Amino acid sequence: MDKARILTALAEHLDAELEGLAAAAAAAREGATHEEAKPENEYDTRALEQSYLAGAQAARVEVLAAACEAVKGRVPKTFDGDSPAAVGAAIVVEDEEGEVRRYYLCDVGGGARLEVDGQRWWVLTPSSPLGKRLLGTREGDAVQHLARGRSVELEVVEIF
């Protein structure tokens, strides 16, 4: 598996998310300044609420745009069989029932589900519960994880 393809898929995912968020921010900004948003009385706060929403969404757009640029500029890190998992690692685990799961540990894009070369990858941040458990692990290590209300043991099969 070429890790650059995972980064490309993540960048595309973040770009799509950014596009939707930018459209929502523009709509909120339009709503805040629209003539119908003018207060009907001193207790009417629709325009004020819309402006708060527009401001918050604009801030989120800036953060997401920075994350997109950061991902696009990354060079994939190389991990060998002895390297501990860190940001930039692709981690393949297997649960007790033999189900294989693939994770990409990244500081942005947590929760994204990516389809790369017919394989599903989940993006984990180091601050997520599973990301914390996988951080620093090596091939052959096992971690306990709470999934769907039950404890599951995951064996680290590969880190690259």
Side-chain angles (χ1 to χ4, degrees), residues 1-159:
M1 163 64 64
D2 181 7
K3 207 175 339 178
R5 295 175 66 86
I6 298 171
L7 280 170
T8 300
L10 178 56
E12 289 170 358
H13 174 83
L14 292 174
D15 277 341
E17 195 174 316
L18 178 60
E19 187 178 306
L21 188 56
R29 189 171 43 255
E30 170 72 24
T33 58
H34 196 274
E35 187 171 310
E36 289 183 12
K38 288 184 180 177
E40 294 176 5
N41 59 49
E42 64 186 283
Y43 302 109
D44 187 353
T45 61
R46 286 179 289 176
L48 182 61
E49 291 168 4
Q50 280 288 97
S51 70
Y52 288 156
L53 177 62
Q57 286 181 327
R60 286 186 62 209
V61 165
E62 285 182 29
V63 169
L64 190 53
C68 287
E69 291 307 310
V71 168
K72 289 176 186 175
R74 288 208 177 136
V75 175
K77 291 183 180 177
T78 303
F79 293 82
D80 62 24
D82 294 326
S83 299
V87 170
I91 305 167
V92 180
V93 301
E94 186 174 333
D95 69 13
E96 299 138 338
E97 284 128 27
E99 182 181 341
V100 174
R101 300 175 193 170
R102 295 169 183 83
Y103 300 105
Y104 181 69
L105 200 54
C106 191
D107 54 347
V108 296
R113 291 182 187 165
L114 310 173
E115 195 71 32
V116 182
D117 296 335
Q119 297 177 334
R120 175 161 285 172
W121 288 85
W122 283 268
V123 178
L124 296 175
T125 62
S127 60
S128 69
L130 184 53
K132 285 178 188 175
R133 286 181 180 82
L134 290 174
L135 197 61
T137 60
R138 298 178 189 277
E139 290 181 10
D141 287 351
V143 296
Q144 289 295 125
H145 177 62
L146 189 62
R148 296 182 206 105
R150 67 180 186 90
S151 182
V152 177
E153 183 174 284
L154 302 174
E155 180 184 345
V156 178
V157 176
E158 182 180 13
I159 298 174

